[in-house]
Amino acid sequence: MKFINQAKMYMSGMSIPSLTLPNTKATTKAEKLSTKVPHPFWVIVNKEVVDHIRSWRLVILVAIITIACAGSLITGLMHFKDSISANDPEGSFFFLKLFSASGSGLPSFVVFISFLGPLLGIGLGFDAINSEQTRGTMARVLSQPIYRDQWINAKFTGGLLVISVLFTGLTLIFMSIGILKIGIPPTPEEFLRILIFTFVTICYVGFWLNLSILFSVKFKQAATSALCTIAVWLFFTVFYGIIVNFIANATAPGQFASPDQIIRYQQFITNLMRIVPSQLYSDATTTLLMPSVRSLGPLTSEQVVGTVPSPLPLGQSLLLVWAQLTGLILATVSCFALAYYSFMRREVRSR
């Protein structure tokens, strides 16, 4: 009809308005932008994060960790003056004492995280896989155009994001309250040490998250995977130290042992204790938050002679705990690799 009316106008001598054709390229581009679909991996990650945030399990664990850390902060502020002396070699790093100070029967911030952090990782991952299989949602999700490895990677990424945001925010709040109460901000090196401490904490809790996901892949019942993970945590927390003490008493050198034999014995016991993830975390955090620590093992008198009691720079502290950091990251990656391998070889059936 439009072209017929224009023909009549032409026959009558009237001017014809210019034809305006739609910009098909711009329309097509706008339609593509409006209909852009997010990647399935990030959709699953978003779903996992929302599920964790809305669960009462995370609320209870976060409340326990927050109350414990608040108690350690109050204790650190109360005993802050007592932990500083005139001849202290760490006088220029007094802000770090907020994280390591203890008193009045309450442990420090690091001790609380070392004990309660594994519970958070276990609580986020013990039913990550088997609960989906029990409800029958895993087969329905994997029947969609989603790769299987994207699903388990998203499970781990979602839990790790929650852990990272929680401990980063908790550390920043801890620092903010300390600055308000003390009135002096941390130095750049102290701030870097606290950031590395937060990264080590995330890796430590991530190890227990991956271990719980591994047991969630291996066992069909969520209660079984939770009990197995808690059993491993209790073994390393309580019983492993008793076993090491028994071995230490059985293999103790005699009264007339040489200094080399005593040093080898001490190194052997220290290496046995470093199998425990909490010991690796304790060694790493102690060295980072206490720059005066110059060794994590036995030293001979020849090595001590001539040393100056001064704090180590950040680079030297990292070199001192590089083995602990590598072992902690390797344990985390190994647990996830085992969970990934077991899940990829697993047969998924609908109910």
Side-chain angles (χ1 to χ4, degrees):
M1 290 296 297
K2 185 176 181 181
F3 291 102
I4 294 175
N5 294 331
Q6 290 177 355
K8 290 181 179 179
M9 293 169 63
Y10 176 76
M11 295 296 293
S12 61
M14 297 176 63
S15 62
I16 303 174
S18 59
L19 296 175
T20 57
L21 297 177
N23 191 354
T24 57
K25 291 184 179 180
T27 305
T28 306
K29 187 176 181 180
E31 290 178 353
K32 288 182 178 180
L33 291 175
S34 61
T35 59
K36 187 177 180 181
V37 179
H39 197 275
F41 173 78
W42 295 111
V43 173
I44 302 174
V45 170
N46 185 30
K47 180 254 181 189
E48 290 297 322
V49 172
V50 172
D51 289 344
H52 287 316
I53 293 175
R54 293 179 178 177
S55 64
W56 280 103
R57 181 193 317 164
L58 180 65
V59 173
I60 294 172
L61 289 172
V62 170
I64 293 173
I65 294 175
T66 304
I67 293 173
C69 293
S72 66
L73 176 61
I74 294 173
T75 303
L77 291 174
M78 290 175 58
H79 297 82
F80 185 75
K81 294 181 179 179
D82 298 335
S83 60
I84 298 176
S85 60
N87 298 323
D88 190 1
E90 297 180 3
S92 57
F93 297 95
F94 65 92
F95 194 86
L96 298 177
K97 295 183 182 296
L98 285 177
F99 294 85
S100 58
S102 61
S104 300
L106 286 177
S108 62
F109 179 81
V110 177
V111 176
F112 269 125
I113 296 300
S114 177
F115 183 77
L116 297 176
L119 294 179
L120 178 64
I122 294 170
L124 293 179
F126 76 92
D127 61 345
I129 307 298
N130 47 26
S131 63
E132 299 274 1
Q133 185 179 9
T134 303
R135 294 195 302 263
T137 57
M138 183 171 65
R140 281 181 286 178
V141 171
L142 294 180
S143 63
Q144 305 298 321
I146 298 174
Y147 293 106
R148 181 181 290 194
D149 57 345
Q150 291 179 351
W151 195 67
I152 190 171
N153 291 339
K155 289 283 185 180
F156 167 68
T157 305
L160 193 64
L161 280 176
V162 173
I163 293 170
S164 302
V165 172
L166 172 62
F167 284 108
T168 302
L170 196 62
T171 304
L172 292 177
I173 293 173
F174 202 94
M175 290 176 57
S176 302
I177 297 176
I179 292 173
L180 292 175
K181 293 297 182 179
I182 299 174
I184 300 175
T187 61
E189 184 171 349
E190 285 179 321
F191 184 72
L192 288 177
R193 286 178 179 271
I194 294 172
L195 286 182
I196 299 173
F197 159 74
T198 306
F199 172 75
V200 175
T201 302
I202 294 171
C203 292
Y204 173 64
V205 181
F207 164 76
W208 294 102
L209 173 66
N210 283 328
L211 185 64
S212 59
I213 292 176
L214 174 61
F215 285 126
S216 180
V217 174
K218 290 294 184 181
F219 301 104
K220 295 182 179 180
Q221 299 297 327
T224 306
S225 60
L227 288 175
C228 289
T229 314
I230 292 175
V232 174
W233 173 65
L234 286 176
F235 172 76
F236 283 127
T237 305
V238 179
F239 300 105
Y240 187 79
I242 298 174
I243 296 173
V244 172
N245 288 332
F246 177 78
I247 296 174
N249 294 329
T251 60
Q255 183 179 1
F256 301 100
S258 62
D260 293 336
Q261 292 177 343
I262 296 175
I263 291 176
R264 285 196 299 268
Y265 165 75
Q266 293 291 337
Q267 290 176 346
F268 172 70
I269 300 301
T270 303
N271 292 330
L272 284 180
M273 290 300 300
R274 285 175 180 170
I275 298 176
V276 185
S278 59
Q279 184 65 34
L280 297 177
Y281 176 74
S282 178
D283 290 344
T285 54
T286 300
T287 306
L288 289 172
L289 298 179
M290 299 177 66
S292 62
V293 176
R294 308 180 67 90
S295 176
L296 295 174
L299 295 175
T300 61
S301 58
E302 290 82 4
Q303 293 173 331
V304 177
V305 171
T307 58
V308 179
S310 60
L312 291 177
L314 178 59
Q316 296 297 322
S317 297
L318 288 177
L319 289 177
L320 186 61
V321 297
W322 189 251
Q324 283 77 5
L325 295 176
T326 305
L328 197 59
I329 296 174
L330 179 62
T332 305
V333 174
S334 300
C335 284
F336 179 74
L338 290 175
Y340 180 89
Y341 176 77
S342 301
F343 181 75
M344 294 300 291
R345 290 179 59 88
R346 185 174 183 174
E347 183 179 1
V348 179
R349 294 182 180 181
S350 59
R351 297 180 62 184

